[in-house]
Amino acid sequence: MSVSAESFSGSVASTTERGERDRAAYDHLWMHFTRMSSYADAPVPTIVRGQGTRIWDSEGREYLDGLSGLFVVQAGHGRAELAEAARRQAEQLAFFPVWSYAHPTAVELAERLAHLAPGDLNKVFFTTGGGEAVETAWKLAKQYFKLTGRPSKYKVISRAVAYHGTPHGALSITGLPAMKAPFEPLVPGTHKVPNTNIYRAPVHGDDPEAFGRWAADQIEQQILFEGPETVAAVFLEPVQNAGGCFPPPPGYFQRVREICDRHDVLLVSDEVICAFGRLGTTFACDKFGYVPDIITCAKGMTSGYSPIGAAIISDRIAEPFYGGGETFLHGYTFGGHPVSAAVALANLDLFEREGLNQRVLDNEAAFHKTLAKLLDLPIVGDVRGNGYFYGIELVKDKATKESFDEEESERILYGFLSKALFANGLYCRADDRGDPVVQLAPPLISDQSTFDEIEQILRSVLTDAWKLI
């Protein structure tokens, strides 16, 4: 069946058009991380328009975008200047690869990112997304150690429950067994250590600094167990996403940096979600006071108006590739795409002009305070995060912190919560990769009225969810 482009427009479609589109969506559009059977006999939710912090579906219903699309739309929806930047660049040079050639927007964006990045992170390798950036960082680390005479250093350490992407290498680094199982065997040489979920800390739960040191020391123990001569890199998110927004305890990253230096291991700061204002700084490592060897980033670089990602690499790590005829044998057709680079530059201009980073810093305490009101609900065990990036952990026993079992998680999170939140006008994420959580990451233009609306919708829906336990 053929469906006209007009029926996919931003206006509210007729009943016939909606039916045709729903059928086409199920028959032809294989949606990502989606249980497709859910839509065999039900319409596919279809978003047709966005403006500011709001989105609208094909039925004309309005929602608050409490997740910035997917931790992406930092500047909000409907920013005409970002679309205009794409149009102007496409008219001048729509595409050219950065394979032995440069083009102006890639050069300018690389220079700008290098100036914004901390320390000597001055080399920018462009990708089209975050998983590719993580893949790039691991391959780079492997080849770097081969070029510098340490070919046995290839292993990677990352944290339990952490998500680092879907390519085979990035998925191997990911710490979510159920997500990896369908694709095993994966790339060998990846090892997991405890994360920084102090709410469920096995030790020092009442002392964040001691817990942070303990968690960092688990990384050193793993390096020593594997043998420092075999470990290439440690991959860590500044605030871990999967499991529900685990911020680092005080001193954690300083200790990790010391450990990596001691054992000649690269520290990779995976900032695919946390960079570009999500925590109130351009790069999240700046907020927590450490300088990594590589930053991986994507998502908010263009506020989602065009796809792009990057690995930003220190001069020290890049040096062997800049002499002696060596080549990093890696690349992507669309990495550093001229249109995406132009949009990223316009987005960074917008950040500066509107002070979006400072806006997050000024309002993050109010966001936390507003969400913390939900702690009076029996189903809410913990509220945690940083900046405009928060997770609300759900429990069935507040005193013991007992979580849902598999059946309860399926019934409450997927059978009720996800649908109820959307039906009540809030797009966010109900997730059980780890313990059950609701995750929130509104656009950086959000203010107290946005926070209050999020809290009110959550309060109503979570109150109803508790009745199902």
Side-chain angles (χ1 to χ4, degrees):
M1 179 180 66
S2 176
V3 183
S4 68
E6 286 77 12
S7 68
F8 286 1
S9 69
S11 58
V12 178
S14 69
T15 301
T16 301
E17 289 171 338
R18 290 199 302 272
E20 291 177 346
R21 179 167 53 202
D22 288 338
R23 193 70 251 165
Y26 181 74
D27 287 346
H28 304 299
L29 177 62
W30 197 334
M31 290 176 284
H32 301 195
F33 287 101
T34 298
R35 190 179 296 177
M36 293 301 297
S37 61
S38 300
Y39 301 114
D41 299 304
V44 176
T46 303
I47 305 302
V48 299
R49 186 167 69 89
Q51 186 65 44
T53 61
R54 307 283 166 172
I55 53 175
W56 286 262
D57 69 12
S58 56
E59 303 278 340
R61 291 182 293 242
E62 177 181 334
Y63 308 87
L64 174 60
D65 183 357
L67 203 64
S68 299
L70 193 63
F71 316 105
V72 171
V73 189
Q74 318 291 62
H77 297 276
R79 304 302 293 250
E81 65 198 272
L82 300 184
E84 179 62 20
R87 184 196 65 78
R88 287 195 307 269
Q89 180 59 43
E91 287 181 345
Q92 182 173 354
L93 179 67
F95 174 75
F96 209 81
V98 291
W99 294 44
S100 301
Y101 295 84
H103 56 75
T105 52
V107 173
E108 185 179 351
L109 180 58
E111 180 182 35
R112 192 156 178 184
L113 292 174
H115 287 163
L116 290 168
D120 70 339
L121 278 76
N122 290 314
K123 304 296 191 291
V124 181
F125 191 100
F126 286 115
T127 68
T128 59
E132 291 177 355
V134 170
E135 196 86 359
T136 297
W138 190 9
K139 290 177 72 175
L140 178 65
K142 285 182 174 181
Q143 193 176 351
Y144 166 76
F145 282 117
K146 284 180 170 60
L147 291 178
T148 55
R150 292 159 290 175
S152 64
K153 290 176 77 71
Y154 69 92
K155 296 176 184 176
V156 163
I157 293 170
S158 59
R159 294 185 292 204
V161 193
Y163 174 81
H164 292 283
T166 55
H168 260 66
L171 185 58
S172 302
I173 297 171
T174 289
L176 296 161
M179 185 174 287
K180 299 160 70 166
F183 310 106
E184 292 174 331
L186 293 170
V187 182
T190 62
H191 304 275
K192 306 299 177 285
V193 295
N195 57 46
T196 60
N197 181 5
I198 196 168
Y199 179 65
R200 296 191 177 277
V203 296
H204 306 301
D206 57 349
D207 186 340
E209 191 167 341
F211 173 63
R213 186 173 182 86
W214 173 86
D217 285 346
Q218 303 313 297
I219 295 174
E220 182 164 42
Q221 289 185 25
Q222 190 67 46
I223 291 172
L224 292 172
F225 181 81
E226 294 299 324
E229 71 281 1
T230 71
V231 179
V234 173
F235 280 69
L236 303 174
E237 296 169 277
V239 175
Q240 183 174 316
N241 171 37
C245 303
F246 305 143
Y252 174 78
F253 275 109
Q254 288 70 31
R255 176 69 173 157
V256 172
R257 179 74 269 182
E258 292 171 3
I259 291 166
C260 288
D261 289 343
R262 182 179 305 126
H263 300 292
D264 193 20
V265 171
L266 305 187
L267 175 55
V268 181
S269 189
D270 183 357
E271 305 197 9
V272 171
I273 287 177
C274 293
F276 304 107
R278 181 53 52 195
L279 306 186
T281 51
T282 300
F283 293 109
C285 54
D286 286 332
K287 189 160 191 185
F288 299 120
Y290 67 98
V291 179
D293 299 292
I294 302 173
I295 294 172
T296 56
C297 56
K299 292 187 183 289
M301 194 189 307
T302 64
S303 284
Y305 284 69
S306 191
I308 199 168
I312 307 174
I313 301 125
S314 75
D315 289 334
R316 178 177 70 90
I317 307 307
E319 192 275 332
F321 298 89
Y322 272 66
E326 301 295 346
T327 300
F328 181 32
L329 300 172
H330 179 67
Y332 299 100
T333 299
F334 295 111
H337 193 286
V339 172
S340 294
V343 174
L345 287 165
N347 187 52
L348 292 174
D349 287 342
L350 188 157
F351 263 69
E352 291 182 6
R353 186 175 64 253
E354 298 189 5
L356 291 187
N357 285 339
Q358 190 59 49
R359 183 186 185 94
V360 173
L361 295 176
D362 290 344
N363 289 285
E364 62 177 340
F367 188 34
H368 177 241
K369 183 178 180 181
T370 304
L371 294 179
K373 294 178 183 178
L374 297 168
L375 287 166
D376 67 359
L377 298 178
I379 197 172
V380 175
D382 193 28
V383 174
R384 56 179 177 258
N386 194 280
Y388 277 20
F389 185 35
Y390 270 85
I392 299 169
E393 183 167 336
L394 308 180
V395 294
K396 66 178 181 181
D397 189 314
K398 213 177 180 83
T400 65
K401 302 182 183 179
E402 183 182 359
S403 190
F404 303 155
D405 61 29
E406 186 174 347
E407 183 279 329
E408 290 165 333
S409 187
E410 178 72 22
R411 176 167 51 85
I412 295 169
L413 254 72
Y414 299 107
F416 175 73
L417 261 179
S418 292
K419 297 172 184 176
L421 289 166
F422 197 63
N424 280 269
L426 177 62
Y427 167 69
C428 60
R429 170 185 267 181
D431 187 27
D432 65 349
R433 297 178 301 171
D435 295 299
V437 296
V438 174
Q439 280 188 291
L440 298 154
L444 309 188
I445 58 174
S446 300
D447 57 17
Q448 186 62 53
S449 64
T450 310
F451 309 154
D452 288 340
E453 185 175 355
I454 288 172
E455 191 272 339
Q456 288 159 15
I457 294 173
L458 284 171
R459 178 171 295 277
S460 173
V461 173
L462 291 175
T463 297
D464 290 341
W466 178 250
K467 299 172 185 176
L468 301 176
I469 296 177

